[in-house]
Amino acid sequence: MSEKLLIGRTIDTGSWVHSIDPRAKMIAMMLYVVIIILSNTWLEMACVVVFSLAIIALTRIHIKYFIRAAKPLWVLMLFIFIVQCIKVVDKNGAILLSIGSWNLYVEGFKLGLFSVLRMVFLVSFTAILTFTTTPGRLNQGLEGVLKPLKVIRVSPDRFTLMVSIALRFIPSILEEAQIILKAQASRGADVRELPWKEKGKMLVSLLVPVTVGAFRRAEDLVHSMESRGFRMGEPRTKYHSLVWRSRDTIFIGFFIIMLIAMVWMSGYGTGELWTL
Amino acid sequence: MAITFEKVNYEYDANSMWSQAALQGVNLHLESGILAGIAGATGSGKSTLLQMFNGILKPTSGTVQVLDITLRGGEKAPKLHQLRKRVGLVFQFPEQQLFEDTVEKDLCFGPINFGCSVDEAKERARKAMEKMGLDESLLSRNPFQLSGGQMRKVAIASVLAMDPEIVVLDEPTATLDPVSRAELIQLLHRLCREEGRTVIIVTHRMDELLPFANQWVILHEGRTVFQGTVKALIEQADQMESYGIVIPQSIRYWRAISEKFGLSGEDPCLSAEAMSKRIAELVSAEDV
Amino acid sequence: MKQRDLKGPHGTTNVVEETVRNPNVMPSPYSPTIELVGVSYGYGKDLPVIDDITLSIPQGQWVTLVGANGCGKSTLVKLMNALLPKGEGSIKVKGLELQSDTIGKIRQTIGMVFQNPDNQFIGATVEEDIVFGLEGQCLSIEVMEERVKSYAARLGITDLLYKHPSELSGGQKQRVAIASILSMEPEVVIFDEASSMLDEKTRNELLNILSDMHKSGRYTIISITHDAQEIAASERVLVLHEGKLIADRTPTELFQDEKILEMSHVIAPFAFQLTRELHRYGLDISIPNCEKELMEALWPLHLRK
């Protein structure tokens, strides 16, 4: 069901984070990416974990949703973890575990664990953006953040209109695809029961109706938008105009302080004590 | 017995935190060779129920028996190919599933998937067109160039071409004009009457199916709240509103007549023709 | 759109001549809200989809447009709102000729509600959807807030304002579509089979909304529908057949004319069908409004005999 799709779904708890300007949240997320990349030691990683959990707690959204957001990537994470563990052959380093002639080095384990943690937090944490911001405000935020692009003659409102329509209709189209999949299964073409070579034919029987359906939707949508007086490039007012308030600056402030702390820790090598 | 449900529960996303019960403790018995109507308000679980008839959805718990195939909740399902061949399921707006460049190819898709030879499939396609009252000349046409009503019939024919024993349809008449709706219902009725197939139709327009259906099932919030004949349904018509269903005009009129003239033991006459005939008999009866 | 396999009789132009000039349906001492003169439209070299239609609709009237699937109803209303490129003939809305430079103005006068509840939902929430059209009209925030509040209340969707369309039923989405259109304060509202994907109960709710709109006197309503109840509630029925306007009647007149009914693919309400059948048995009763009236009409006949 569409419930599974977390993309573009807002979980409204009315928290402080929900009320933050989407532009502030977007900038904060960019800072967070840098923070994550800079965290190379146990201490730094511990700080990131605490910091992330604190912000997540502020959203008042149950942690299970964040875990859920990262869950689809677990295979990839496991793969990266294993590769990192195997990759590191540090003859002088401490050995954590030996299986026969193969050694798992602490350094390898650390690298693997860090990679996974970084991924988990990156995905889960950036989910804050979609969980706490309605798609409409997200779009406005995007439009605001992309404003500098006007200099190179890319129109941000066209781009954001495109994004918002995509966000609005992708779940509907996926749902429709699911029904078509079931309908074709009822006609004897069940993806799960077909031999591999038949799956190609199956794909055609799915893609054609889904494409036709998407075009039908597009036509309806254009009619609906036009009959409500929409014309590309015409002046429009904004119902929800974004107002930058002090809380938005404070929100970004958290991330800047965190970033400075990270730079300071790696710069002074304080972390070295903790690297084991 | 064509279809038997025993204490069937169905939950969407059963193992996740979004699990939602769509069917709860559904018991159902549908005989072979009948025309059954399934009614219920939006969200009552009608579409979920239908998808269990050919194993598209499997029960979370309880037992579903269709023909001689049994699906039990929690058990691994048997290969469903045979079941799907024998139970043709027509989804809502089936014309949206057409994909080939000729009507004939689309009609042959099902039969070939179920192991027919190309010639056999073509023969079945031709027969299915006839059953849906479509002209054979349409076989070479592109389905996307047909009218809405014709596309709907072609899509239903594409399921009939599989020669199923049970035909299940989810709101087959939705968005058609009333004349096309009546015509389609009559074609489906003929499938049942003349060929002995079991036909099950989900509808939110009970009135158009009332003169034809011999069994009715009413769903309300995922439970079967009524199952029985039209006669029994009329006796309990007052409860229909609480299930979110509007009482059809024909039932209202028949109930008034039956009350006034004391016909409670009689089989109801629900088409305008039958009802007026009965009224004429009643009014002139005193003469004799 | 392409269904032309109707078996109905042809050559009914004289019906048009009679009915279009019928004084009963031309009550307008004022200039009509919608005026079409000789409108034709076709795709390529195919038969015209709309064939030389002339009609006028006065302010405040509730008109139903009926006809078999593919007779051109939807094309006709889309032409009025310039959703399709201009064909032949002239279309005037409130005296304003539809031309490329008047499209914006005319679209402000005409609002449209379509068939598919999901596909016409533009915003990511109900509130955003309502506001979409208002932003295009460049209204101030205060006015928009006021409109959102009052129209959401009028259509009973205040509790749904912050919901995503996937959380709404088809009927709720249609209410939102109507709120979105009405909040733009159009004078003409066109319903293009807006009830056909709804279940019976929701369809009745929609019918109540239409009745209220009509009673308010603010709106000229054009509704495309096959629903007998909805036709019966309107004031005037225009019948299209193969792109031509073949009849212009009151609903009661339509329901009693078997030939036109057949051509328009409309089925009369049960009471009309029953009365017609009873006539065949020599039982002449007037059309009942409900089952009680039928019994009141039948009982004396029964006692007399």
Side-chain angles (χ1 to χ4, degrees), chain A residues 1 3-4 6 64-65 68 176 179-190 192-194 198 201-202 204-206 208-210 212 216, chain B residues 12-13 16-18 20 51 54 56-58 78-81 84 87 89 91 96-99 106-107 109-110 112-114 144 158-159 162:
Chain A
M1 290 264 96
E3 299 275 351
K4 273 183 191 155
L6 286 174
K64 69 185 180 184
Y65 289 98
R68 184 90 180 175
E176 199 171 283
I179 292 172
I180 291 164
L181 203 67
K182 287 176 176 177
Q184 309 300 34
S186 300
R187 293 163 82 197
D190 194 326
R192 285 162 300 183
E193 293 188 359
L194 275 184
E198 303 270 316
K201 197 170 76 183
M202 175 71 212
V204 179
S205 74
L206 180 65
V208 173
V210 171
V212 172
R216 194 178 42 239
Chain B
Y12 278 104
D13 298 320
S16 77
M17 53 193 152
W18 283 282
Q20 265 180 319
Q51 292 175 37
N54 75 342
I56 290 286
L57 299 178
K58 289 152 205 119
K79 278 264 182 195
L80 297 165
H81 215 58
R84 303 238 167 108
V87 183
L89 178 52
F91 280 80
Q96 295 178 4
Q97 85 201 1
L98 298 175
F99 67 99
D106 236 310
L107 261 62
F109 181 69
I112 289 175
N113 284 333
F114 287 118
F144 296 98
S158 79
V159 170
M162 293 154 30

Side-chain angles (χ1 to χ4, degrees), chain C residues 62-116:
Chain C
W62 181 356
V63 182
T64 333
L65 202 53
V66 300
N69 281 343
C71 71
K73 296 165 294 186
S74 194
T75 308
L76 185 65
V77 292
K78 279 177 183 146
L79 283 172
M80 293 179 191
N81 206 4
L83 292 181
L84 292 171
K86 200 173 178 292
E88 278 165 55
S90 121
I91 297 174
K92 277 187 188 161
V93 179
K94 287 184 71 197
L96 192 65
E97 178 89 33
L98 179 63
Q99 282 161 343
S100 56
D101 57 331
T102 56
I103 288 179
K105 224 168 166 136
I106 284 176
R107 283 189 184 153
Q108 256 186 43
T109 318
I110 302 181
M112 266 183 100
V113 181
F114 299 89
Q115 180 181 38
N116 189 310

Side-chain angles (χ1 to χ4, degrees), chain C residues 20 32 59 103 145 247:
Chain C
V20 169
Q59 198 278 327
I103 288 179
E145 273 171 354

Side-chain angles (χ1 to χ4, degrees), chain B residues 42 147 150 177-178 205 276, chain C residues 3 5 69 199 203 265 277:
Chain B
T42 309
S147 74
Q150 285 173 329
D177 67 48
R205 290 177 185 259
S276 56
Chain C
Q3 185 174 324
D5 49 1
N69 281 343
D199 66 33
R203 215 163 37 231
H265 273 204
E277 291 297 322

Side-chain angles (χ1 to χ4, degrees), chain A residues 30-67:
Chain A
M30 288 182 229
L31 294 172
Y32 186 79
V33 174
V34 182
I35 293 170
I36 279 271
I37 292 170
L38 287 178
S39 58
N40 287 315
T41 65
W42 292 105
L43 175 65
E44 285 161 4
M45 190 49 91
C47 290
V48 168
V49 171
V50 171
F51 176 74
S52 307
L53 291 178
I55 301 279
I56 284 176
L58 275 180
T59 66
R60 301 216 306 258
I61 295 169
H62 199 288
I63 190 106
K64 69 185 180 184
Y65 289 98
F66 293 93
I67 296 168

